[in-house]
Amino acid sequence: MAYINGKRPEKGILGPLTFDNVEKKTELFDKSFWRYALRSVYATLFLTFGTAIAMMTAQQANLVAPGLGKFTFAFFFAWSLVLIIYMNGELATANMNFLVVGARKKYISWQKAFTILMVCVLFNFIGGLVCAYIFSRTTIFQDLPADHYLFTAVSGKFVKSALTIFIEGILANIIVNSAVVASNRMVNADGRVYAIIFIIFIFAFLGYEHVIANFVSFPLAFFSNGGPVDGMTLANVLKNFVFTFLGNLVGGGFVIGYVYSWLGDKETSYVD
């Protein structure tokens, strides 16, 4: 790996964090591809656990008080990122940040960064499909009512325009990567967990678009329903995946990653 002036960067909220992550990811990718791939699958395994409990608690909460489900969904979904971070899963939307900064800082080439990212996306997708199918075969996902929170939440994504999906993708990954970076700055484990949960709560409650989360929720709804839910056509699914991915890349990779790495370039006391 080519380092800047042969030295490890130490300043800024993205400096050491990005260096460490890019170094680990590149070494694992180069020396043990299938271990990197399996960590990407495991990220969606943990995301499926979070999605499953969030969807189910939301359904029950709405039976208690209409609208309460959004609060419980956002809270329990947020635990997905806690699991992914603490269990060292490879999540493509977080990697958008690290890999863009790593390429900008010349730790790795742009081509290598893109390759690592797209392999992560591929195995996040494979993991989402496999895990969603497995979860759909469990008792709790059998014979769900047609108006179940899982089905209505997924169907609602297919009525959005491409522009709306793109914008919501940007905002979602600003939040996700803010949670990753903010949690890293906490001095103890409690602070890390609180930072992740309450920051991720923002995007989950607002219903913004996260491509890897959709890799899980779309097939989970499909398999649990025994077929497509309302609005789930191949064209609508691909539209969502493409524009959510692009929005996530802009939000996490450039609004957070690229801009904050640029803000930290100057040797001043105010370093981001």
Side-chain angles (χ1 to χ4, degrees):
M1 187 186 301
Y3 305 144
I4 297 178
N5 298 323
K7 297 180 180 179
R8 179 192 182 107
E10 294 295 342
K11 300 183 75 174
I13 62 176
L14 293 179
L17 177 62
T18 298
F19 186 97
D20 289 344
N21 273 278
V22 171
E23 186 177 43
K24 288 189 297 184
K25 294 175 195 303
T26 304
E27 182 180 21
L28 183 62
F29 185 87
D30 289 340
K31 295 183 178 180
S32 188
F33 175 88
W34 291 109
R35 285 184 172 86
Y36 180 83
L38 187 57
R39 287 186 184 276
S40 301
V41 171
Y42 268 52
T44 39
L45 168 63
F46 302 131
L47 190 57
T48 308
F49 274 112
T51 301
I53 188 63
M55 293 293 186
M56 290 303 176
T57 54
Q59 174 71 9
Q60 295 303 312
N62 276 344
L63 297 178
V64 175
L68 183 60
K70 287 196 68 174
F71 289 91
T72 60
F73 173 86
F75 177 77
F76 285 105
F77 177 83
W79 285 91
S80 299
L81 190 61
V82 176
L83 287 172
I84 291 169
I85 290 176
Y86 275 86
M87 299 299 289
N88 288 326
E90 287 292 320
L91 184 69
T93 45
N95 286 345
M96 290 172 180
N97 176 358
F98 300 130
L99 293 171
V100 166
V101 176
R104 181 182 180 272
K105 292 290 188 179
K106 303 187 188 306
Y107 304 155
I108 57 175
S109 68
W110 283 100
Q111 180 180 1
K112 186 61 172 287
F114 182 75
T115 300
I116 294 174
L117 175 62
M118 295 312 296
V119 168
C120 187
V121 171
L122 173 62
F123 283 96
N124 282 169
F125 177 69
I126 292 171
L129 282 176
V130 173
C131 294
Y133 178 78
I134 293 171
F135 274 65
S136 73
R137 297 299 92 194
T138 60
T139 303
I140 197 169
F141 281 95
Q142 301 298 305
D143 301 318
L144 300 182
D147 61 349
H148 193 277
Y149 192 92
L150 169 62
F151 302 146
T152 58
V154 170
S155 293
K157 293 178 178 293
F158 298 129
V159 299
K160 298 178 182 179
S161 69
L163 178 60
T164 298
I165 294 169
F166 177 69
I167 292 172
E168 291 189 357
I170 294 173
L171 298 175
N173 216 23
I174 289 174
I175 292 298
V176 169
N177 283 281
S178 295
V180 172
V181 174
S183 69
N184 187 71
R185 306 188 77 185
M186 299 298 167
V187 297
N188 57 48
D190 291 344
R192 295 190 74 192
V193 171
Y194 294 149
I196 295 168
I197 291 173
F198 289 108
I199 296 174
I200 294 299
F201 183 96
I202 298 170
F203 111 76
F205 181 84
L206 294 175
Y208 291 156
E209 297 294 330
H210 184 277
V211 67
I212 312 304
N214 291 347
F215 284 173
V216 170
S217 62
F218 288 8
L220 186 59
F222 179 90
F223 293 131
S224 299
N225 191 51
V229 298
D230 289 345
M232 184 182 278
T233 64
L234 179 60
N236 281 339
V237 169
L238 291 177
K239 180 182 76 172
N240 183 282
F241 285 168
V242 169
F243 287 98
T244 300
F245 173 84
L246 293 174
N248 289 168
L249 182 59
V250 171
F254 292 93
V255 176
I256 297 297
Y258 195 97
V259 171
Y260 267 90
S261 69
W262 176 80
L263 289 171
D265 278 350
K266 297 297 181 180
E267 293 296 328
T268 67
S269 59
Y270 196 163
V271 178
D272 287 297

